[in-house]
Amino acid sequence: MEGTSHRATARREGRFWVVEVDGVGVTQGRTAQEARAMAGDLVAAMLDRPLDQVHVDVAFEVGGIGPAEVSAVKRDLEAAAAAQERAATGSRTLAAKLRAAGLSGRDVAEIMGVSPQRVSQLTNRRATTTRRIQPADPDPQS
């Protein structure tokens, strides 16, 4: 059985979010999170679908702030995160290449416009790899 996708609009009215799910009905929630969950519950109940097969895209509107403004900011945040990741990768690569070319950490720092300590962080393999947190020993006595 295939999942269903629906659009909804949530508007703040007093202490509640009133959620209108297109072609299905209206529900409410006290918080944005609850409003989103209630929209899914409404669709599942009204269309007799399992909740895990229901997706509701809820657009929140409040105080003249609409979904287009929220979407624009979300896109900007995603673009900034991607740019930051590219910059981090590029910084590590450049620092490593400059060090491999025989430059001192201080010279690399001057060229890159960062501190010598940052160069050390960028070129330290252990600092640039993902560290895994070891679970605590459940029985420290053994």
Side-chain angles (χ1 to χ4, degrees):
M1 194 177 205
E2 192 174 295
T4 61
S5 185
H6 296 273
R7 298 183 62 85
T9 303
R11 291 179 185 86
R12 193 71 176 170
E13 292 186 15
R15 295 175 41 203
F16 293 91
W17 288 99
V18 176
V19 185
E20 184 175 343
V21 180
D22 294 349
V24 178
V26 179
T27 187
Q28 68 182 17
R30 284 203 170 186
T31 66
Q33 182 179 12
E34 185 177 280
R36 190 182 306 275
M38 294 300 288
D41 290 346
L42 175 69
V43 171
M46 296 299 289
L47 301 182
D48 195 27
R49 293 280 186 134
L51 186 57
D52 65 351
Q53 292 183 7
V54 170
H55 172 75
V56 181
D57 182 21
V58 181
F60 291 89
E61 296 180 359
V62 60
I65 301 166
E69 186 174 351
V70 172
S71 293
V73 170
K74 284 182 177 180
R75 279 191 306 274
D76 289 347
L77 289 171
E78 290 169 0
Q84 185 174 6
E85 182 59 34
R86 285 191 307 275
T89 300
S91 294
R92 286 189 299 272
T93 301
L94 180 58
K97 285 180 178 180
L98 291 171
R99 290 291 282 150
L103 297 180
S104 70
R106 287 194 179 279
D107 282 346
V108 173
E110 183 64 29
I111 291 168
M112 291 183 66
V114 298
S115 70
Q117 293 84 359
R118 183 66 183 136
V119 171
S120 179
Q121 291 171 342
L122 291 170
T123 57
N124 181 349
R125 283 187 200 251
R126 282 187 21 200
T128 60
T129 59
T130 303
R131 294 182 186 188
R132 301 207 184 261
I133 298 173
Q134 298 298 319
D137 185 357
D139 184 12
Q141 302 299 321
S142 58

